PDB file of all heavy atoms in Angstrom:
ATOM      1  N   MET A   1       7.797  -6.672 -19.255  1.00 66.00           N
ATOM      2  CA  MET A   1       7.055  -5.489 -18.872  1.00 66.00           C
ATOM      3  C   MET A   1       7.503  -4.988 -17.592  1.00 66.00           C
ATOM      4  O   MET A   1       7.416  -5.569 -16.551  1.00 66.00           O
ATOM      5  CB  MET A   1       5.562  -5.913 -18.703  1.00 66.00           C
ATOM      6  CG  MET A   1       4.689  -4.910 -18.169  1.00 66.00           C
ATOM      7  SD  MET A   1       3.098  -5.572 -18.203  1.00 66.00           S
ATOM      8  CE  MET A   1       2.224  -4.383 -17.164  1.00 66.00           C
ATOM      9  N   SER A   2       8.048  -3.762 -17.536  1.00 78.00           N
ATOM     10  CA  SER A   2       8.705  -3.129 -16.446  1.00 78.00           C
ATOM     11  C   SER A   2       7.820  -1.945 -15.979  1.00 78.00           C
ATOM     12  O   SER A   2       7.120  -1.359 -16.884  1.00 78.00           O
ATOM     13  CB  SER A   2      10.074  -2.737 -16.679  1.00 78.00           C
ATOM     14  OG  SER A   2      10.162  -1.749 -17.686  1.00 78.00           O
ATOM     15  N   MET A   3       7.810  -1.592 -14.681  1.00 77.00           N
ATOM     16  CA  MET A   3       7.085  -0.484 -14.183  1.00 77.00           C
ATOM     17  C   MET A   3       7.995   0.712 -13.939  1.00 77.00           C
ATOM     18  O   MET A   3       9.075   0.481 -13.646  1.00 77.00           O
ATOM     19  CB  MET A   3       6.407  -0.936 -12.940  1.00 77.00           C
ATOM     20  CG  MET A   3       5.362  -2.037 -13.035  1.00 77.00           C
ATOM     21  SD  MET A   3       4.475  -2.584 -11.598  1.00 77.00           S
ATOM     22  CE  MET A   3       4.733  -1.476 -10.212  1.00 77.00           C
ATOM     23  N   SER A   4       7.468   1.776 -14.135  1.00 89.00           N
ATOM     24  CA  SER A   4       8.135   2.999 -13.911  1.00 89.00           C
ATOM     25  C   SER A   4       8.280   3.218 -12.439  1.00 89.00           C
ATOM     26  O   SER A   4       7.648   2.673 -11.618  1.00 89.00           O
ATOM     27  CB  SER A   4       7.551   4.256 -14.509  1.00 89.00           C
ATOM     28  OG  SER A   4       6.324   4.474 -13.783  1.00 89.00           O
ATOM     29  N   ARG A   5       9.139   4.093 -12.023  1.00 87.00           N
ATOM     30  CA  ARG A   5       9.449   4.394 -10.663  1.00 87.00           C
ATOM     31  C   ARG A   5       8.264   4.908 -10.086  1.00 87.00           C
ATOM     32  O   ARG A   5       7.881   4.466  -8.804  1.00 87.00           O
ATOM     33  CB  ARG A   5      10.569   5.333 -10.514  1.00 87.00           C
ATOM     34  CG  ARG A   5      11.003   5.696  -9.134  1.00 87.00           C
ATOM     35  CD  ARG A   5      12.128   6.679  -9.066  1.00 87.00           C
ATOM     36  NE  ARG A   5      12.420   7.146  -7.808  1.00 87.00           N
ATOM     37  CZ  ARG A   5      13.324   6.696  -7.007  1.00 87.00           C
ATOM     38  NH1 ARG A   5      13.994   5.698  -7.264  1.00 87.00           N
ATOM     39  NH2 ARG A   5      13.447   7.319  -5.838  1.00 87.00           N
ATOM     40  N   ASP A   6       7.491   5.673 -10.676  1.00 86.00           N
ATOM     41  CA  ASP A   6       6.246   6.360 -10.107  1.00 86.00           C
ATOM     42  C   ASP A   6       5.201   5.275  -9.826  1.00 86.00           C
ATOM     43  O   ASP A   6       4.475   5.216  -8.897  1.00 86.00           O
ATOM     44  CB  ASP A   6       5.639   7.404 -11.041  1.00 86.00           C
ATOM     45  CG  ASP A   6       6.554   8.711 -11.077  1.00 86.00           C
ATOM     46  OD1 ASP A   6       7.233   8.866 -10.091  1.00 86.00           O
ATOM     47  OD2 ASP A   6       6.336   9.495 -11.965  1.00 86.00           O
ATOM     48  N   GLN A   7       5.110   4.320 -10.829  1.00 91.00           N
ATOM     49  CA  GLN A   7       4.160   3.291 -10.705  1.00 91.00           C
ATOM     50  C   GLN A   7       4.584   2.283  -9.477  1.00 91.00           C
ATOM     51  O   GLN A   7       3.646   1.828  -8.764  1.00 91.00           O
ATOM     52  CB  GLN A   7       4.142   2.332 -12.028  1.00 91.00           C
ATOM     53  CG  GLN A   7       3.513   3.080 -13.141  1.00 91.00           C
ATOM     54  CD  GLN A   7       3.447   2.252 -14.451  1.00 91.00           C
ATOM     55  OE1 GLN A   7       4.562   1.603 -14.697  1.00 91.00           O
ATOM     56  NE2 GLN A   7       2.476   2.360 -15.289  1.00 91.00           N
ATOM     57  N   CYS A   8       5.857   2.018  -9.336  1.00 89.00           N
ATOM     58  CA  CYS A   8       6.376   1.269  -8.201  1.00 89.00           C
ATOM     59  C   CYS A   8       5.947   1.989  -6.924  1.00 89.00           C
ATOM     60  O   CYS A   8       5.473   1.300  -5.853  1.00 89.00           O
ATOM     61  CB  CYS A   8       7.835   0.940  -8.323  1.00 89.00           C
ATOM     62  SG  CYS A   8       8.284  -0.204  -9.505  1.00 89.00           S
ATOM     63  N   GLU A   9       6.211   3.350  -6.776  1.00 91.00           N
ATOM     64  CA  GLU A   9       5.879   4.045  -5.596  1.00 91.00           C
ATOM     65  C   GLU A   9       4.426   4.004  -5.336  1.00 91.00           C
ATOM     66  O   GLU A   9       4.001   3.870  -4.215  1.00 91.00           O
ATOM     67  CB  GLU A   9       6.471   5.387  -5.639  1.00 91.00           C
ATOM     68  CG  GLU A   9       7.960   5.494  -5.524  1.00 91.00           C
ATOM     69  CD  GLU A   9       8.370   6.915  -5.745  1.00 91.00           C
ATOM     70  OE1 GLU A   9       7.664   7.935  -5.525  1.00 91.00           O
ATOM     71  OE2 GLU A   9       9.654   7.018  -5.915  1.00 91.00           O
ATOM     72  N   SER A  10       3.632   4.147  -6.277  1.00 91.00           N
ATOM     73  CA  SER A  10       2.235   4.093  -6.224  1.00 91.00           C
ATOM     74  C   SER A  10       1.673   2.812  -5.668  1.00 91.00           C
ATOM     75  O   SER A  10       0.829   2.674  -4.807  1.00 91.00           O
ATOM     76  CB  SER A  10       1.498   4.477  -7.546  1.00 91.00           C
ATOM     77  OG  SER A  10       0.194   4.288  -7.469  1.00 91.00           O
ATOM     78  N   VAL A  11       2.285   1.722  -6.344  1.00 92.00           N
ATOM     79  CA  VAL A  11       1.898   0.363  -5.732  1.00 92.00           C
ATOM     80  C   VAL A  11       2.394   0.235  -4.293  1.00 92.00           C
ATOM     81  O   VAL A  11       1.556  -0.351  -3.502  1.00 92.00           O
ATOM     82  CB  VAL A  11       2.533  -0.772  -6.705  1.00 92.00           C
ATOM     83  CG1 VAL A  11       2.328  -2.049  -6.025  1.00 92.00           C
ATOM     84  CG2 VAL A  11       1.794  -0.655  -8.056  1.00 92.00           C
ATOM     85  N   ALA A  12       3.465   0.664  -3.914  1.00 92.00           N
ATOM     86  CA  ALA A  12       4.006   0.566  -2.597  1.00 92.00           C
ATOM     87  C   ALA A  12       3.220   1.290  -1.635  1.00 92.00           C
ATOM     88  O   ALA A  12       2.794   0.775  -0.742  1.00 92.00           O
ATOM     89  CB  ALA A  12       5.461   1.009  -2.579  1.00 92.00           C
ATOM     90  N   LEU A  13       2.746   2.441  -2.039  1.00 94.00           N
ATOM     91  CA  LEU A  13       1.785   3.298  -1.189  1.00 94.00           C
ATOM     92  C   LEU A  13       0.414   2.628  -0.994  1.00 94.00           C
ATOM     93  O   LEU A  13      -0.116   2.609   0.105  1.00 94.00           O
ATOM     94  CB  LEU A  13       1.591   4.770  -1.813  1.00 94.00           C
ATOM     95  CG  LEU A  13       2.930   5.662  -1.600  1.00 94.00           C
ATOM     96  CD1 LEU A  13       2.555   7.041  -2.357  1.00 94.00           C
ATOM     97  CD2 LEU A  13       3.121   5.981  -0.229  1.00 94.00           C
ATOM     98  N   SER A  14      -0.104   1.999  -2.128  1.00 94.00           N
ATOM     99  CA  SER A  14      -1.350   1.423  -2.060  1.00 94.00           C
ATOM    100  C   SER A  14      -1.183   0.049  -1.093  1.00 94.00           C
ATOM    101  O   SER A  14      -2.100  -0.107  -0.259  1.00 94.00           O
ATOM    102  CB  SER A  14      -1.750   0.806  -3.482  1.00 94.00           C
ATOM    103  OG  SER A  14      -2.025   1.923  -4.259  1.00 94.00           O
ATOM    104  N   VAL A  15      -0.093  -0.611  -1.273  1.00 95.00           N
ATOM    105  CA  VAL A  15       0.051  -1.840  -0.333  1.00 95.00           C
ATOM    106  C   VAL A  15       0.164  -1.315   1.039  1.00 95.00           C
ATOM    107  O   VAL A  15      -0.314  -2.026   1.986  1.00 95.00           O
ATOM    108  CB  VAL A  15       1.325  -2.560  -0.838  1.00 95.00           C
ATOM    109  CG1 VAL A  15       1.746  -3.674   0.287  1.00 95.00           C
ATOM    110  CG2 VAL A  15       1.101  -3.232  -2.175  1.00 95.00           C
ATOM    111  N   GLU A  16       0.958  -0.286   1.316  1.00 96.00           N
ATOM    112  CA  GLU A  16       1.132   0.274   2.737  1.00 96.00           C
ATOM    113  C   GLU A  16      -0.193   0.736   3.216  1.00 96.00           C
ATOM    114  O   GLU A  16      -0.524   0.399   4.366  1.00 96.00           O
ATOM    115  CB  GLU A  16       2.182   1.479   2.636  1.00 96.00           C
ATOM    116  CG  GLU A  16       2.550   1.897   4.081  1.00 96.00           C
ATOM    117  CD  GLU A  16       3.636   3.044   3.982  1.00 96.00           C
ATOM    118  OE1 GLU A  16       4.346   2.967   3.016  1.00 96.00           O
ATOM    119  OE2 GLU A  16       3.556   3.895   4.847  1.00 96.00           O
ATOM    120  N   SER A  17      -1.049   1.431   2.445  1.00 96.00           N
ATOM    121  CA  SER A  17      -2.405   1.874   2.903  1.00 96.00           C
ATOM    122  C   SER A  17      -3.171   0.594   3.273  1.00 96.00           C
ATOM    123  O   SER A  17      -3.904   0.593   4.180  1.00 96.00           O
ATOM    124  CB  SER A  17      -2.962   2.694   1.795  1.00 96.00           C
ATOM    125  OG  SER A  17      -4.264   3.055   2.051  1.00 96.00           O
ATOM    126  N   LEU A  18      -3.177  -0.418   2.390  1.00 97.00           N
ATOM    127  CA  LEU A  18      -4.004  -1.584   2.646  1.00 97.00           C
ATOM    128  C   LEU A  18      -3.481  -2.344   3.883  1.00 97.00           C
ATOM    129  O   LEU A  18      -4.366  -2.808   4.699  1.00 97.00           O
ATOM    130  CB  LEU A  18      -3.834  -2.623   1.371  1.00 97.00           C
ATOM    131  CG  LEU A  18      -4.578  -2.192   0.106  1.00 97.00           C
ATOM    132  CD1 LEU A  18      -4.157  -3.128  -1.026  1.00 97.00           C
ATOM    133  CD2 LEU A  18      -6.137  -2.190   0.335  1.00 97.00           C
ATOM    134  N   LEU A  19      -2.217  -2.349   4.116  1.00 97.00           N
ATOM    135  CA  LEU A  19      -1.796  -2.931   5.358  1.00 97.00           C
ATOM    136  C   LEU A  19      -2.185  -2.193   6.630  1.00 97.00           C
ATOM    137  O   LEU A  19      -2.599  -2.850   7.562  1.00 97.00           O
ATOM    138  CB  LEU A  19      -0.192  -3.023   5.319  1.00 97.00           C
ATOM    139  CG  LEU A  19       0.426  -4.107   4.314  1.00 97.00           C
ATOM    140  CD1 LEU A  19       1.906  -4.055   4.313  1.00 97.00           C
ATOM    141  CD2 LEU A  19      -0.013  -5.442   4.788  1.00 97.00           C
ATOM    142  N   ASN A  20      -2.131  -0.859   6.544  1.00 97.00           N
ATOM    143  CA  ASN A  20      -2.609   0.002   7.551  1.00 97.00           C
ATOM    144  C   ASN A  20      -4.093  -0.247   7.754  1.00 97.00           C
ATOM    145  O   ASN A  20      -4.522  -0.304   8.938  1.00 97.00           O
ATOM    146  CB  ASN A  20      -2.279   1.470   7.318  1.00 97.00           C
ATOM    147  CG  ASN A  20      -0.850   1.753   7.506  1.00 97.00           C
ATOM    148  OD1 ASN A  20      -0.106   1.168   8.232  1.00 97.00           O
ATOM    149  ND2 ASN A  20      -0.381   2.828   6.877  1.00 97.00           N
ATOM    150  N   ASP A  21      -4.851  -0.340   6.824  1.00 97.00           N
ATOM    151  CA  ASP A  21      -6.319  -0.616   6.880  1.00 97.00           C
ATOM    152  C   ASP A  21      -6.572  -2.007   7.510  1.00 97.00           C
ATOM    153  O   ASP A  21      -7.382  -2.103   8.341  1.00 97.00           O
ATOM    154  CB  ASP A  21      -7.022  -0.548   5.603  1.00 97.00           C
ATOM    155  CG  ASP A  21      -7.150   0.921   4.969  1.00 97.00           C
ATOM    156  OD1 ASP A  21      -6.832   1.845   5.740  1.00 97.00           O
ATOM    157  OD2 ASP A  21      -7.456   0.994   3.828  1.00 97.00           O
ATOM    158  N   ALA A  22      -5.790  -2.921   7.037  1.00 98.00           N
ATOM    159  CA  ALA A  22      -5.978  -4.280   7.717  1.00 98.00           C
ATOM    160  C   ALA A  22      -5.567  -4.340   9.170  1.00 98.00           C
ATOM    161  O   ALA A  22      -6.259  -4.999   9.949  1.00 98.00           O
ATOM    162  CB  ALA A  22      -5.083  -5.264   6.923  1.00 98.00           C
ATOM    163  N   LYS A  23      -4.510  -3.593   9.572  1.00 98.00           N
ATOM    164  CA  LYS A  23      -4.136  -3.523  11.040  1.00 98.00           C
ATOM    165  C   LYS A  23      -5.315  -2.838  11.802  1.00 98.00           C
ATOM    166  O   LYS A  23      -5.633  -3.233  12.828  1.00 98.00           O
ATOM    167  CB  LYS A  23      -2.857  -2.708  11.203  1.00 98.00           C
ATOM    168  CG  LYS A  23      -1.710  -3.533  10.760  1.00 98.00           C
ATOM    169  CD  LYS A  23      -0.374  -2.662  10.979  1.00 98.00           C
ATOM    170  CE  LYS A  23       0.852  -3.355  10.396  1.00 98.00           C
ATOM    171  NZ  LYS A  23       2.061  -2.489  10.409  1.00 98.00           N
ATOM    172  N   ARG A  24      -5.807  -1.733  11.243  1.00 98.00           N
ATOM    173  CA  ARG A  24      -6.817  -0.972  11.940  1.00 98.00           C
ATOM    174  C   ARG A  24      -8.072  -1.884  12.060  1.00 98.00           C
ATOM    175  O   ARG A  24      -8.693  -1.880  13.140  1.00 98.00           O
ATOM    176  CB  ARG A  24      -7.235   0.291  11.086  1.00 98.00           C
ATOM    177  CG  ARG A  24      -8.194   1.139  11.714  1.00 98.00           C
ATOM    178  CD  ARG A  24      -8.618   2.394  10.891  1.00 98.00           C
ATOM    179  NE  ARG A  24      -8.668   2.139   9.495  1.00 98.00           N
ATOM    180  CZ  ARG A  24      -9.789   1.579   8.844  1.00 98.00           C
ATOM    181  NH1 ARG A  24     -10.815   1.206   9.607  1.00 98.00           N
ATOM    182  NH2 ARG A  24      -9.806   1.429   7.565  1.00 98.00           N
ATOM    183  N   MET A  25      -8.414  -2.640  10.921  1.00 98.00           N
ATOM    184  CA  MET A  25      -9.613  -3.511  11.116  1.00 98.00           C
ATOM    185  C   MET A  25      -9.408  -4.626  12.040  1.00 98.00           C
ATOM    186  O   MET A  25     -10.276  -5.085  12.790  1.00 98.00           O
ATOM    187  CB  MET A  25      -9.969  -4.091   9.632  1.00 98.00           C
ATOM    188  CG  MET A  25     -10.623  -3.052   8.805  1.00 98.00           C
ATOM    189  SD  MET A  25     -11.372  -3.788   7.328  1.00 98.00           S
ATOM    190  CE  MET A  25     -10.055  -3.424   6.129  1.00 98.00           C
ATOM    191  N   GLN A  26      -8.063  -5.195  12.006  1.00 98.00           N
ATOM    192  CA  GLN A  26      -7.780  -6.218  12.978  1.00 98.00           C
ATOM    193  C   GLN A  26      -8.002  -5.688  14.465  1.00 98.00           C
ATOM    194  O   GLN A  26      -8.496  -6.478  15.322  1.00 98.00           O
ATOM    195  CB  GLN A  26      -6.308  -6.610  12.757  1.00 98.00           C
ATOM    196  CG  GLN A  26      -5.988  -7.833  13.632  1.00 98.00           C
ATOM    197  CD  GLN A  26      -4.534  -8.332  13.348  1.00 98.00           C
ATOM    198  OE1 GLN A  26      -3.654  -7.504  13.018  1.00 98.00           O
ATOM    199  NE2 GLN A  26      -4.338  -9.593  13.403  1.00 98.00           N
ATOM    200  N   MET A  27      -7.557  -4.506  14.657  1.00 98.00           N
ATOM    201  CA  MET A  27      -7.641  -3.920  16.037  1.00 98.00           C
ATOM    202  C   MET A  27      -9.248  -3.719  16.374  1.00 98.00           C
ATOM    203  O   MET A  27      -9.655  -4.001  17.506  1.00 98.00           O
ATOM    204  CB  MET A  27      -6.998  -2.658  16.119  1.00 98.00           C
ATOM    205  CG  MET A  27      -5.481  -2.565  16.323  1.00 98.00           C
ATOM    206  SD  MET A  27      -4.969  -3.565  17.753  1.00 98.00           S
ATOM    207  CE  MET A  27      -5.552  -2.612  19.127  1.00 98.00           C
ATOM    208  N   GLN A  28      -9.874  -3.292  15.428  1.00 98.00           N
ATOM    209  CA  GLN A  28     -11.374  -3.086  15.622  1.00 98.00           C
ATOM    210  C   GLN A  28     -12.115  -4.397  15.977  1.00 98.00           C
ATOM    211  O   GLN A  28     -12.893  -4.522  16.938  1.00 98.00           O
ATOM    212  CB  GLN A  28     -12.045  -2.455  14.506  1.00 98.00           C
ATOM    213  CG  GLN A  28     -11.804  -0.907  14.221  1.00 98.00           C
ATOM    214  CD  GLN A  28     -12.221  -0.403  12.916  1.00 98.00           C
ATOM    215  OE1 GLN A  28     -12.699  -1.134  12.024  1.00 98.00           O
ATOM    216  NE2 GLN A  28     -12.407   0.957  12.840  1.00 98.00           N
TER     217      GLN A  28
END
């Protein structure tokens, strides 16, 4: 089962967003 390029980018953006949220929460 392979993911399309768009799906990979979407997952990468979601992970990046989650990491940013985690950093923000850690600072808070």
